[in-house]
Amino acid sequence: MSATPGTTVRRPLRPVLVALYGALVPLLAALLLAAPPAAARTDAAADVPYATLTEVTDFGSNPSNLQMYLYVPESVTPNPAVLVAVHYCTGSGPAMYSGTEYASLADRYGFVVVYPSVTRASKCFDVSSPQALRRGGGSDPAGIKSMVDWVLGTYDADPKRVFATGISSGAMMTNVLLGVYPDVFAAGAAFAGVPFGCFATTDGSEWNSACANGTVTRTPQQWGDLVRGAHPGYTGPRPRMQLWHGTEDDVLRYPNFGEEIDQWTNVLGVSRTPASTDTPATGWTRTRYGGTGDQAPVEAISLQGVGHNLYAYGTMGARVLTFFGLDGSGPAPQPQPGGCKVTATTSAWSTGLTGSVTITNTGTTAVNGWKLGFTLPGGQTITNGWGATYAPASGAVTATNAAYNGTIAPNGSVTIGYQANHGGDSAAPGAFTLNGTACASA
C-alpha cells in the first residue's frame, strides 16, 4: 500500500459530457469552499496524513481502475463510522471533497470519508452494466467495496456503521451499492438519482434515455425484486434510504423520485403511505415511510421548483448525518436522565385549545439542537404552532427547534406553543423526552 497527498479543487466544476447529460449545469462555484488544511500528523499503520485528502493505492480488487481518496480527521474516533461520498458525472473524488461539507463534518464527528473517483473518460460511475448490478459481478461497485474493506481493516472501523451518499451519477451508484451490498451498507442518501436497475443496459452504453426521462415505470414489487435479485438468497436486514429530488430536474426527471420511493418501501417492507409529512425548509416536502423519526426506514425530500443541481453546501450534509445517525457523537452534548424538565399547560374552549410548553435544561452543559417528543391525548390535532416545527399533527409528536432557539444553556429555558382541535380531552401531554431522554414533568 502506498499513499500520496491529494489536491484540493478550487474552481467551478464544468461538465464535459454535454452529449450525455444535456442540460447538466455545473455545481455552483460557491459550493467549492476551501478544504481543511493539511495536518502534520500521520497514521503510522496506514501511512495516511490526518486532516488532508490523500489518494490510497493498492487497496484491493479494483476491476474498473477507480481511484480511492481518503479523508481521516485529526479527531477520528475509535472504531469510526465510514462514509462513502460518490461524485456526479464529470466530477472526481477531489471535487466531491471540495464541493461538499463531509470532511468538515468528519472533523466534528470523527468518522472517515472515502471519495471514489472514476478514471474512465465519461467520469460517470457504471450503474448500467450487468456486472455492476449483481453481487460479485465486478466493475465499480466491487472497487468501492474494496475501499470500504481497506478502511475497515486499517482503522478498525465499525462494520455496522458504513454509509453511502452521492449526487446524480453518485446517487445512482448509492442505489446500486445498497442493492448489491445490503450486508455492507447501513443506509444511503441519494441526491437526484434513479432506482436500482433503472439505468440498466446490455449494449455497453452508460446512458439509458428512457430511465433518464422518467418513462421507466414498474410496480413496487417489480422494483423490489430487482434489488433482491442483485444478491439472491440474502435474508438479512436491508439498508435504510434517504431520497432527494427536485421537481424541475431535466436530466434525471422527477418521476424517478416516485419510482425510487416505490422501490425502497417495497425492499424494506413498509407502507407506501407516508407515516408523516412535513416541511423542514421552504419549498421542501419531506415524507417518511415506516416510521416518523429521524431514522425512518425511508425518508424522501421533494424540492419544489429545483432542478438537477439540487445539492446545497451547508444545508443538506447535516441532514444526511442525522438520517445516518452520525451526528450524535460530536461536541453537542445530549441531556442525560434528569437533565431536563418540562412544564406544559393548556387553555381550552369548546373544540379547541392552546398549549404552552416550557423546556428547561437542568444539566451542566448546553443543549445544541433539540427535539422534544410527546404524545397528544386522543382526539387532539395540532393546527398551528410556534417556536418549533411539529410533526406529525397528532399522536406521537416531535417538536424540532426553530433556528433561533436551538441552544438551551444550562439552567436555561425555551417556551414553545401550539394550537389544536380536540374531541373532548383538552389535557396537556403528560410525558416528554428531549433528544430521546426522558424529562421530569412539573
Side-chain angles (χ1 to χ4, degrees):
M1 190 284 299
S2 64
T4 57
T7 57
T8 301
V9 176
R10 300 180 186 274
R11 56 180 175 80
L13 307 175
R14 294 176 296 166
V16 298
L17 287 186
V18 174
L20 287 181
Y21 266 43
L24 181 61
V25 180
L27 290 176
L28 296 176
L31 302 186
L32 301 185
L33 303 183
R41 193 162 70 95
T42 298
D43 184 280
D47 193 27
V48 172
Y50 287 93
T52 187
L53 186 68
T54 302
E55 183 180 2
V56 175
T57 59
D58 301 327
F59 51 83
S61 176
N62 185 21
S64 56
N65 196 33
L66 297 177
Q67 291 175 287
M68 174 184 175
Y69 291 90
L70 187 69
Y71 184 81
V72 182
E74 188 83 27
S75 58
V76 63
T77 62
N79 309 119
V82 181
L83 175 61
V84 179
V86 194
H87 68 73
Y88 40 88
C89 266
T90 77
S92 67
M96 191 71 175
Y97 166 73
S98 297
T100 61
E101 64 269 50
Y102 296 116
S104 62
L105 290 169
D107 288 334
R108 181 175 184 184
Y109 296 112
F111 57 87
V112 176
V113 191
V114 177
Y115 298 93
S117 194
V118 170
T119 58
R120 64 178 63 89
S122 69
K123 301 297 184 180
C124 297
F125 284 92
D126 176 14
V127 295
S128 305
S129 74
Q131 292 79 15
L133 296 175
R134 70 174 185 271
R135 188 181 185 87
S139 194
D140 294 351
I144 294 172
K145 168 67 160 51
S146 294
M147 298 176 194
V148 170
D149 288 342
W150 188 92
V151 173
L152 291 175
T154 303
Y155 292 94
D156 194 24
D158 187 348
K160 295 183 180 180
R161 295 193 299 149
V162 178
F163 305 91
T165 186
I167 303 168
S168 190
S169 178
M172 293 192 277
M173 177 53 71
T174 297
N175 277 268
V176 169
L177 290 172
L178 268 60
V180 174
Y181 296 112
D183 53 336
V184 173
F185 293 93
F191 290 83
V194 303
F196 175 98
C198 183
F199 238 61
T201 61
T202 56
D203 59 0
S205 171
E206 297 179 19
W207 188 254
N208 185 319
S209 294
C211 178
N213 290 330
T215 61
V216 176
T217 59
R218 292 185 171 91
T219 67
Q221 182 68 36
Q222 289 170 331
W223 281 125
D225 287 344
L226 283 176
V227 171
R228 288 181 285 270
H231 187 2
Y234 178 74
T235 58
R238 294 281 177 174
R240 298 178 297 107
M241 178 60 95
Q242 183 186 63
L243 303 165
W244 301 72
H245 221 105
T247 61
E248 301 304 312
D249 193 326
D250 60 354
V251 177
L252 301 174
R253 294 188 180 272
Y254 187 68
N256 283 301
F257 181 57
E259 300 298 308
E260 285 180 294
I261 295 171
D262 283 350
Q263 182 170 71
W264 290 103
T265 52
N266 181 267
V267 167
L268 287 157
V270 299
S271 172
R272 181 60 173 75
T273 301
S276 69
T277 301
D278 66 353
T279 306
T282 302
W284 295 14
T285 300
R286 178 173 61 188
T287 48
R288 287 169 168 167
Y289 304 85
T292 60
D294 288 334
Q295 283 88 53
V298 178
E299 180 175 88
I301 301 95
S302 173
L303 281 69
Q304 183 64 39
V306 176
H308 187 60
N309 294 315
L310 78 169
Y311 188 88
Y313 190 108
T315 301
M316 297 173 177
R319 293 180 182 273
V320 170
L321 290 202
T322 296
F323 181 74
F324 290 166
L326 291 181
D327 59 352
S329 58
Q334 302 299 306
Q336 298 302 309
C340 52
K341 180 178 69 175
V342 175
T343 302
T345 60
T346 59
S347 177
W349 59 94
S350 58
T351 60
L353 61 88
T354 57
S356 179
V357 179
T358 298
I359 310 160
T360 301
N361 175 13
T362 59
T364 59
T365 56
V367 176
N368 295 308
W370 52 264
K371 295 180 182 294
L372 185 72
F374 57 90
T375 299
L376 289 172
Q380 291 188 17
T381 301
I382 293 175
T383 57
N384 186 30
W386 48 93
T389 300
Y390 299 81
S394 60
V397 176
T398 298
T400 303
N401 65 269
Y404 61 85
N405 64 2
T407 298
I408 311 177
N411 298 314
S413 297
V414 168
T415 297
I416 62 176
Y418 58 89
Q419 186 171 340
N421 296 327
H422 69 83
D425 187 345
S426 60
F432 297 86
T433 61
L434 186 64
N435 293 343
T437 297
C439 296
S441 296

